[in-house]
Structures are given as structure tokens and as C-alpha cells.
């Protein structure tokens, strides 16, 4: 029986949500990019910390302006000035610069461009409303407010906000420890000559290391393990003793040398799924000791698609992220015919473009076999074709999902 893609993803996410949270550490703000907050971050100050001017211009009292449109200049306030002893006579205005503190009795700041200098002082040319060009204390961030919640990703804009609060260190979840190995007698490490006819390069382990690095994981690389049940079992034990998550590639289908399956049956609670998705039908998921386990199919495109669609949300959730971004999916016109057989959901690779009329359209990247790694190279999105759908004709609407930063 085939499991639907949705059921598989739901099962994985439920397991991840119930997993024990990671321990945490304190890191400098600079090292916190893309890490996940382990405790709420409370603002120690208001930002802005005081009412200040949004413009280079003039501070006025509305009561003065109602009497006359021209006010003599009293003095000037610059950014960084202490104005606690400022004297501001009635019926005068003050020169004020952007970011300078606004005196408590100023009603508005008038931008320089809306004034004219005359012998009598500054002439105000336009209507002035209370509050014009005054940035209010706490308008951006309120003191004692929760600025970042537990489980939020510390993105560049978020860290930038924290810097405005003067915060230099944050408490984040420790990195998820992920152990990986590849299985297969045919595999040769990159950078060494291929030995014999049937040999191929172990590209998957390289790809997995890049993906895990982008997801901020700590990687335990156990290398290539031959198709030998004893060695695979040993590697799985070593991996699960050191890591929160074990990811392997290859050996989870039904071939004669797919020993990962046999080894796992003895070691833990593993489900060998046949998921109604293409590529990526065989996929193993479960637990070995304290570690979770994902067994990815060996074909490089299947490895990448199952990692993106199933392992990525698992890792993000295990890493402590509260709300994983919703999949950014929408419908566009197919610019080419698409081959599709009924029965599985396809994650084809596509290129979203804008046509002459300014409308979005998606092209296939060509051959879609699970061994055609180049199908990803020009792609910027998945074309997701529903399980019950057959061939697609040019011009039909199809669902696409833009690649996130993992593939960019
Ligand atoms: P398997 O899932 O072990 O049956 O492998 C399916 C296909 O993927 C076979 O053609 C393998 O040679 C290939 N393959 C398995 N592991 C890797 C790997 N680490 N890197 C590149 N290709 C692989
Ligand atoms: Mg194999």
C-alpha cells in the first residue's frame, strides 16, 4: 500500500513536535544568524528611546504658528544633544536635525523644504499638524515587550532590531547533531579515481553535507559503508549514539543488496514507506535508540527531493523552530507539455518565468528521471502535479512551489 505524501509528512512532523527540545547556549549576536531563539527576548529599552525628529527642519509650537507664519529662530538642536536645560522662548522656533531630541513642548517638526528664511526669521509655507515628523518614544519597540519569541528564527532583520536594543548576546538552541553515511559497494569518495566499471561517485553525502550546513546542523560524517549488514548495523549504532538524527542514503528499496532495511529491522522501530511521490517512493523513517532516523533513496534527485520536502521540515522542527514557513505555493500556466503518470504526486523541477504580457509561466527543465541531476540546475521551483493527475497540456494551470534558500 502506498502512503500519500501528506500522510508521510504529517507523521514526520508529529514525531518531530513530540521530540525532546535541544539544550541551549549563549552566543554573540554576530554568531546568531539563522539560529533559533531558545528563550524569549525582552526589550530592555524603548526604541526610539526619546521623541526625536524625523527631519532636518524646525520645531514649532502650534499656538505660536496660529498667531504668525514667521517665527524668529531661537537656537539649534543636534543629534546627541542633551536638551534638559534648553531655553525656548515663546513665539520662536528651533532649528532641529534628524535624530535630535524633540523638546517636550514642541508640537511638530516642519521640514526645511516647507520653509523660507526671511529677515524676520523662518516663514512656514504649508499647513502644520500636531505630531508632524516626530518619531515617538517606543514607537518601534516598547520597553519590556517580547521582541523575539522562543522558537523564532534569528534572521538578519530580527538581529538588526536586537542591535537597536543594545543586545550583544542571545540564547539559542544548540545545533542539531546529524550523523550521515552513504551505503553502496559502488560508491567512491569524490577526488579519488573511480575503481572498476560499476563504480560511481558518492555525490549524495556531499550534497547532504551542504544541505545540513545550510540548515545550521552539526554534522557527523561516517563516510561510505559497503553493502554489508554487519558494517551497516555497526554504523547505525555508532551514528545513533552520537546524533539526534541519523540520515543515510541508499539501500532502502527492495533490491538484493538493500541491507539498510535488514539492519534497521533488528535495531529500532523503523517504518519502510512506499510514498506515493515521484521521485522518492522508498523512504524509511523511525527511531534507533534516542536518535530519529531517515533513510533516503539513493538516486541523487530522489535524495534531494525527499530531503527538501520531508527532511527539511523535520530538521527545522527538531532544531526548535516553532512555525516552519508555509510552503509558498501558487498556480501558474504551464508553458510546455508535462509528462505525468497517474498514481503519485510529482515534484518535477521547473523554471518560473515572466512572459511578454508580464504573466507568470512555468517551463519544465527537461528530462525528469531520478538520476538526471541537471534537472535541478536551471530550476527555481517544483512543479507539483497532484496524485490523480495525468499528462498536462501546455496552457493548463499547475501548482508550483518556489525553492527556498536551501536550494538557492
Ligand atoms: P539504492 O537506493 O541503494 O538502490 O540506489 C539507487 C541508485 O542510486 C543506484 O543507481 C545507486 O548507485 C545510486 N546511489 C546510491 N547511493 C548513492 C550516492 N551516495 N551517491 C550517488 N548515487 C548513489
Ligand atoms: Mg544501494
Amino acid at each position: 500500500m502506498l502512503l500519500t505524501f501528506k500522510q508521510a509528512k504529517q507523521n514526520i512532523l508529529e514525531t518531530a513536535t513530540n521530540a525532546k527540545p535541544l539544550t541551549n547556549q549563549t552566543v554573540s549576536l554576530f554568531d546568531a544568524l539563522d539560529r533559533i531563539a531558545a528563550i524569549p527576548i525582552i526589550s530592555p529599552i524603548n526604541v526610539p528611546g526619546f521623541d526625536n525628529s524625523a527631519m532636518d527642519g524646525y520645531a514649532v509650537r502650534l499656538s505660536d504658528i496660529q498667531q504668525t507664519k514667521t517665527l524668529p529662530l531661537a537656537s539649534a538642536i543636534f543629534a546627541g544633544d542633551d536638551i534638559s536645560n534648553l531655553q525656548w522662548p515663546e513665539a520662536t522656533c528651533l532649528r532641529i536635525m534628524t535624530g535630535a531630541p524633540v523638546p517636550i513642548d514642541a508640537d511638530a517638526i516642519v521640514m526645511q523644504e516647507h520653509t523660507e528664511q526671511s529677515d524676520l526669521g523662518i516663514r512656514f509655507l504649508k499647513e502644520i499638524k500636531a505630531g508632524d515628523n516626530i518619531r515617538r518614544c517606543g514607537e518601534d519597540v516598547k520597553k519590556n515587550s517580547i521582541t523575539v519569541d522562543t522558537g523564532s528564527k534569528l534572521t538578519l532583520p530580527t538581529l538588526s532590531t536586537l542591535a537597536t536594543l543594545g543586545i550583544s548576546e542571545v540564547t539559542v538552541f544548540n545545533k542539531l547533531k546529524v550523523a550521515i553515511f552513504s551505503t553502496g559497494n559502488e560508491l567512491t569518495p569524490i577526488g579519488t579515481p573511480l575503481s572498476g566499471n560499476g563504480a560511481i561517485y558518492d555525490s549524495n553525502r556531499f550534497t547532504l553535507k551542504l544541505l545540513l550546513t545550510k540548515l545550521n546542523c552539526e554534522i557527523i560524517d561516517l563516510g561510505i559503508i559497503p553493502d554489508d549488514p554487519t558494517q551497516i548495523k555497526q554504523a547505525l549504532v555508532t551514528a545513533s549514539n552520537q546524533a539526534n538524527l541519523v540520515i543515510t542514503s541508499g539501500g532502502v528499496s527492495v533490491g538484493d543488496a538493500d541491507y539498510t532495511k535488514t539492519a534497521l529491522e533488528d535495531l529500532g522501530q523503523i517504518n519502510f514507506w512506499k510514498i506515493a511521490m515521484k521521485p522518492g517512493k522508498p523512504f524509511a523513517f523511525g527511531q534507533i535508540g534516542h536518535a530519529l532516523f531517515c533513510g533516503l533513496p539513493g538516486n541523487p534527485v530522489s535524495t534531494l527531493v525527499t530531503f527538501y520536502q520531508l527532511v527539511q521540515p523535520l530538521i527545522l522542527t527538531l532544531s526548535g523552530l516553532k512555525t516552519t514557513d508555509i510552503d509558498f505555493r501558487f498556480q501558474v500556466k504551464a508553458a510546455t507539455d508535462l509528462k505525468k503518470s497517474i498514481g503519485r504526486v510529482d515534484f518535477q523541477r521547473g523554471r518560473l518565468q515572466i512572459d511578454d504580457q508580464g504573466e507568470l509561466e512555468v517551463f519544465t527543465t527537461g528530462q525528469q528521471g531520478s538520476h538526471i541531476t541537471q534537472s535541478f540546475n536551471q530550476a527555481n521551483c517544483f512543479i507539483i502535479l497532484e496524485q490523480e493527475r495525468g499528462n498536462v497540456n501546455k496552457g493548463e494551470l499547475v501548482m508550483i512551489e518556489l525553492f527556498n534558500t536551501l536550494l538557492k
Side-chain angles (χ1 to χ4, degrees):
M1 241 278 281
L2 291 185
L3 197 66
T4 65
F5 169 76
K6 214 169 146 190
Q7 287 167 328
K9 185 167 172 180
Q10 215 166 351
N11 188 314
I12 288 173
L13 284 181
E14 250 166 50
T15 309
T17 312
N18 294 327
K20 205 171 125 203
L22 294 171
T23 51
N24 57 49
Q25 63 177 145
T26 299
V27 296
S28 81
L29 201 67
F30 195 75
D31 293 326
L33 187 62
D34 291 341
R35 301 291 296 271
I36 295 161
I39 54 172
I41 302 173
I42 315 282
S43 172
I45 56 169
N46 282 308
V47 176
F50 48 91
D51 287 1
N52 70 86
S53 176
M55 295 283 172
D56 292 329
Y58 300 92
V60 297
R61 299 182 188 96
L62 286 186
S63 54
D64 293 336
I65 287 289
Q66 273 148 18
Q67 311 298 318
T68 167
K69 294 290 170 223
T70 303
L71 296 172
L73 194 57
S75 57
I77 314 170
F78 293 85
D81 280 359
D82 179 352
I83 57 165
S84 40
N85 296 318
L86 179 88
Q87 300 293 318
W88 185 11
E90 300 264 307
T92 65
C93 65
L94 298 168
R95 178 89 174 109
I96 191 165
M97 311 305 164
T98 306
V102 171
I104 193 152
D105 48 344
D107 295 308
I109 308 298
V110 182
M111 63 193 289
Q112 195 167 311
E113 293 82 345
H114 292 176
T115 65
E116 223 172 55
Q117 283 211 339
S118 73
D119 293 345
L120 299 173
I122 306 300
R123 207 161 83 84
F124 296 94
L125 307 171
K126 302 239 161 109
E127 194 200 341
I128 302 164
K129 291 200 296 300
D132 277 357
N133 302 315
I134 300 176
R135 303 160 168 173
R136 294 297 179 191
C137 175
E139 195 171 64
D140 185 6
V141 185
K142 289 235 162 13
K143 183 175 174 175
N144 293 329
S145 65
I146 297 177
T147 312
V148 175
D149 243 325
T150 305
S152 309
K153 186 164 160 178
L154 297 168
T155 59
L156 189 150
T158 305
L159 292 177
S160 182
T161 296
L162 294 182
T164 70
L165 304 177
I167 290 173
S168 63
E169 286 185 333
V170 283
T171 304
V172 297
F173 286 114
N174 277 318
K175 293 185 174 188
L176 190 75
K177 285 189 193 147
V178 185
I180 55 169
F181 63 86
S182 301
T183 67
N185 291 342
E186 73 277 34
L187 302 180
T188 308
I190 59 171
T192 54
L194 287 173
S195 54
N197 251 345
I200 64 164
Y201 283 117
D202 175 17
S203 60
N204 284 347
R205 193 161 47 94
F206 168 79
T207 310
L208 283 173
K209 278 164 91 168
L210 284 184
L211 291 164
L212 293 168
T213 303
K214 280 195 125 181
L215 290 174
N216 257 328
C217 297
E218 195 179 308
I219 303 165
I220 302 161
D221 181 2
L222 299 177
I224 298 168
I225 310 293
D227 288 316
D228 169 68
T230 315
Q231 290 189 58
I232 292 176
K233 209 184 242 177
Q234 188 49 51
L236 287 168
V237 172
T238 308
S240 62
N241 282 339
Q242 297 178 53
N244 308 105
L245 173 66
V246 179
I247 302 175
T248 64
S249 96
V252 290
S253 45
V254 291
D256 290 344
D258 290 332
Y259 294 118
T260 315
K261 194 166 171 177
T262 341
L264 280 164
E265 272 160 359
D266 296 348
L267 285 178
Q269 299 156 290
I270 311 289
N271 298 302
F272 294 93
W273 287 335
K274 286 190 175 26
I275 308 177
M277 68 186 286
K278 189 180 174 188
K281 186 162 102 179
F283 187 92
F285 179 66
Q287 186 125 17
I288 312 169
H290 292 296
L292 289 177
F293 172 82
C294 289
L296 313 186
N299 276 306
V301 176
S302 312
T303 303
L304 197 45
V305 171
T306 51
F307 187 98
Y308 189 97
Q309 293 292 341
L310 295 169
V311 183
Q312 176 178 208
L314 170 72
I315 287 178
L316 293 176
T317 309
L318 290 176
S319 299
L321 196 68
K322 271 280 143 48
T323 40
T324 49
D325 282 346
I326 52 156
D327 312 321
F328 195 56
R329 293 182 180 183
F330 52 92
Q331 289 195 314
V332 298
K333 258 189 336 209
T336 43
D337 291 347
L338 302 168
K339 272 172 84 175
K340 162 75 168 67
S341 40
I342 294 172
R344 295 203 257 162
V345 53
D346 269 21
F347 292 90
Q348 301 195 9
R349 279 72 65 210
R351 175 147 200 93
L352 187 68
Q353 282 182 195
I354 296 169
D355 69 14
D356 296 342
Q357 277 74 49
E359 296 211 348
L360 288 169
E361 57 180 1
V362 69
F363 291 82
T364 179
T365 53
Q367 279 196 73
Q368 295 290 314
S370 58
H371 60 297
I372 308 287
T373 59
Q374 299 246 51
S375 63
F376 261 110
N377 296 4
Q378 297 304 317
N380 58 11
C381 65
F382 286 111
I383 306 172
I384 302 176
L385 301 176
E386 302 78 1
Q387 195 165 325
E388 295 317 321
R389 196 160 182 180
N391 287 332
V392 174
N393 293 320
K394 179 180 168 175
E396 283 183 40
L397 284 180
V398 291
M399 188 65 77
I400 68 136
E401 180 181 323
L402 280 179
F403 290 164
N404 66 22
T405 50
L406 195 60
L407 294 180
K408 285 202 282 207

